[in-house]
Amino acid sequence: MASVSNTSIDTAEPEEQASSGPRHVAIIMDGNGRWAQARGRPRLFGHHAGARRVREIVECCPQYGVKYLTIFAFSTENWKRTQVEISGLMSLFRRYISKEMKALALRNVRVRFIGDRLRLDAKLVQLMDELEHETEANEGIHLTIALNYGGRDEVARATKRLAQDVASGQLSPEDVNEETLPRYLDTHVLPDPDLVIRTSGEARISNFLLWQSAYAEYEFTDTLWPDFTSEEMGRLCRKFGSRERRFGAVST
């Protein structure tokens, strides 16, 4: 596998964001199934409602100063669900990309996918590649969709690529440090998230952006994802702006 280039990561210094809103928000979109079951509908009904909610949240990002939005669509652990639900989700992903491709391009949204594509079907991967290509020149909101993604899996894959570069002599073991590994992660062209939101009342991170979220702020809301509005997004972004982020230092 080819080595990862030392692409500069678009990050802001901690001082620039200490009293401002989050520039990069990552969301664990949880609660679709429970939302549907509460209405006496199948779980996939909730996933479709959740997919529609994504558009509203993407569109509201400029209003709150959010430049980067990363959403957790399907984890490496989600393959444990029933085959009916998995097949339905894969169909939903294909339909979503096909339906939203032109709209995302017109709204100046840059779309990227992170995660291991090897297990995904060829048609879905083709659509993912096409959407990335169609939006690669856009400079508005950077939307990253985590699909067949797991934080531990990402680090393992990155470590394997790093080890291959060491073995081939492209990288010296002495040069490996905490600034080296991020260049091999799926997110190597993105800044780390400032704020991670999880909906549905669950208070765990579920293997999402483990390395990148080392200094992120977290918000856990009881709202189920299909009910998560732009207004709540704004409230959480404003709340973030009131926090003091010291990055291991002390208040002065």
Side-chain angles (χ1 to χ4, degrees):
M1 185 176 294
S3 62
V4 176
S5 62
N6 187 5
T7 306
S8 61
I9 303 176
D10 182 16
T11 57
E13 294 298 321
E15 294 80 16
E16 296 177 11
Q17 295 190 345
S19 60
S20 62
R23 200 166 59 121
H24 184 177
V25 175
I27 303 179
I28 302 172
M29 306 180 297
D30 196 19
N32 293 329
R34 277 171 283 166
W35 184 89
Q37 290 172 336
R39 289 159 176 77
R41 304 297 296 272
R43 290 176 58 84
L44 282 172
F45 179 76
H47 292 305
H48 282 271
R52 291 192 295 271
R53 181 61 64 184
V54 171
R55 173 181 282 202
E56 177 183 344
I57 300 307
V58 172
E59 290 179 343
C60 79
C61 282
Q63 178 180 350
Y64 305 122
V66 176
K67 181 73 173 180
Y68 299 87
L69 176 67
T70 299
I71 57 175
F72 203 3
F74 189 87
S75 76
T76 50
E77 290 76 28
N78 286 157
W79 295 105
K80 300 174 185 176
R81 298 187 178 186
T82 67
Q83 189 57 49
V84 170
E85 185 170 357
I86 291 172
S87 297
L89 283 167
M90 295 302 154
S91 176
L92 172 60
F93 297 146
R94 292 191 295 269
R95 187 180 312 172
Y96 175 84
I97 294 173
S98 299
K99 181 180 178 182
E100 294 291 322
M101 188 174 303
K102 288 185 178 180
L104 289 165
L106 289 173
R107 294 202 301 271
N108 199 27
V109 178
R110 171 72 184 270
V111 181
R112 297 181 178 89
F113 291 91
I114 58 174
D116 188 354
R117 304 188 188 194
L118 293 179
R119 194 170 177 180
L120 302 175
D121 69 76
K123 177 60 176 177
L124 176 56
V125 173
Q126 179 184 342
L127 287 167
M128 292 161 62
D129 291 341
E130 185 178 351
L131 180 55
E132 287 181 326
H133 175 73
E134 286 294 320
T135 63
E136 64 183 358
N138 290 350
E139 298 178 348
I141 299 302
H142 290 248
L143 172 63
T144 302
I145 303 173
L147 191 54
N148 194 29
Y149 173 87
R152 288 181 174 181
D153 176 73
E154 179 190 27
V155 172
R157 288 186 286 106
T159 304
K160 183 177 180 179
R161 292 194 292 269
L162 187 153
Q164 289 171 337
D165 280 356
V166 170
S168 67
Q170 297 182 59
L171 182 66
S172 169
E174 290 74 23
D175 293 331
V176 177
N177 54 43
E178 67 179 70
E179 296 180 357
T180 309
L181 184 62
R183 300 203 301 266
Y184 293 81
L185 295 174
D186 296 351
T187 56
H188 66 278
V189 296
L190 300 173
D192 288 342
D194 304 299
L195 173 63
V196 179
I197 298 170
R198 181 173 187 141
T199 61
S200 86
E202 302 291 350
R204 56 180 179 271
I205 59 176
S206 293
N207 200 17
F208 185 47
L209 300 177
L210 298 181
W211 179 282
Q212 299 89 335
S213 299
Y215 279 99
E217 301 290 326
Y218 278 82
E219 286 287 351
F220 300 100
T221 175
D222 290 336
T223 306
L224 302 176
W225 173 248
D227 292 328
F228 186 82
T229 63
S230 59
E231 289 77 16
E232 184 161 9
M233 176 78 162
R235 180 180 66 80
L236 295 178
C237 287
R238 289 190 295 271
K239 183 178 179 182
F240 170 93
S242 68
R243 297 186 180 188
E244 180 184 9
R245 304 181 73 202
R246 297 188 296 274
F247 297 90
V250 295
S251 301
T252 57

